[in-house]
Amino acid sequence: MKKRLCLILTLVIITVLAVIPFTACTDNGGYALQTDKKYIRESDINQETSGQNYVLFRTDGTGEYKYLYISSMNSDYNEDYKINFKYVYADSDKSTVICLFDSIQFGKNHPNNITGYYDWSKMFTVSKHVVCSVGGTGYTMYINEDFIKEIPNFGE
């Protein structure tokens, strides 16, 4: 009887521990991607608005990805563009978004010899406060512009 009770208790504990991470990630109301709000790259929070890299999702399934890189060595390596994209949710929980290239606008700092963006795509895990681009050698975190106000010491 003791073994059976111990087994049942162990199964209950394992089940509870397995469910906790999923409930912790719901961000108090599901994944809740915030539309029409900029998600600013974490390393750019303290930059002037014109120098911030960001992603913005619109309610109509479109968005924009702004990227600016100014090389301190050679202006031929500068990148300055805004990609307009269409996005779809990759899962029924709406926790992952796939973004696919639609069009591009080059900025004033972008050299003419850098091209090849027409197959651009990104995958983001999403929440109300943070989206995270996953791929390549790691991840890049983007923080909702409204949530940044709630964490004033971040990046200081």
Side-chain angles (χ1 to χ4, degrees), residues 44-52:
D44 295 339
I45 287 174
N46 295 320
Q47 299 285 334
E48 295 289 326
T49 304
S50 62
Q52 291 176 335

Side-chain angles (χ1 to χ4, degrees), residues 15-73:
T15 303
V16 168
L17 291 176
V19 169
I20 286 174
F22 293 109
T23 58
C25 291
T26 60
D27 204 9
N28 296 332
Y31 296 100
L33 176 67
Q34 296 292 295
T35 55
D36 302 313
K37 296 285 182 182
K38 287 181 182 176
Y39 286 87
I40 301 166
R41 189 170 69 180
E42 65 180 313
S43 59
D44 295 339
I45 287 174
N46 295 320
Q47 299 285 334
E48 295 289 326
T49 304
S50 62
Q52 291 176 335
N53 294 295
Y54 66 86
V55 61
L56 181 139
F57 300 90
R58 295 188 191 92
T59 54
D60 65 356
T62 65
E64 61 187 54
Y65 175 82
K66 172 71 171 94
Y67 185 79
L68 174 66
Y69 170 76
I70 303 297
S71 172
S72 59
M73 303 293 277

Side-chain angles (χ1 to χ4, degrees), residues 125-153:
T125 57
V126 301
S127 75
K128 179 179 178 182
H129 298 309
V130 176
V131 298
C132 187
S133 169
V134 182
T137 60
Y139 69 93
T140 305
M141 197 169 21
Y142 297 80
I143 302 172
N144 183 298
E145 63 185 331
D146 290 339
F147 186 58
I148 291 170
K149 298 169 191 166
E150 296 178 34
I151 50 172
N153 295 324

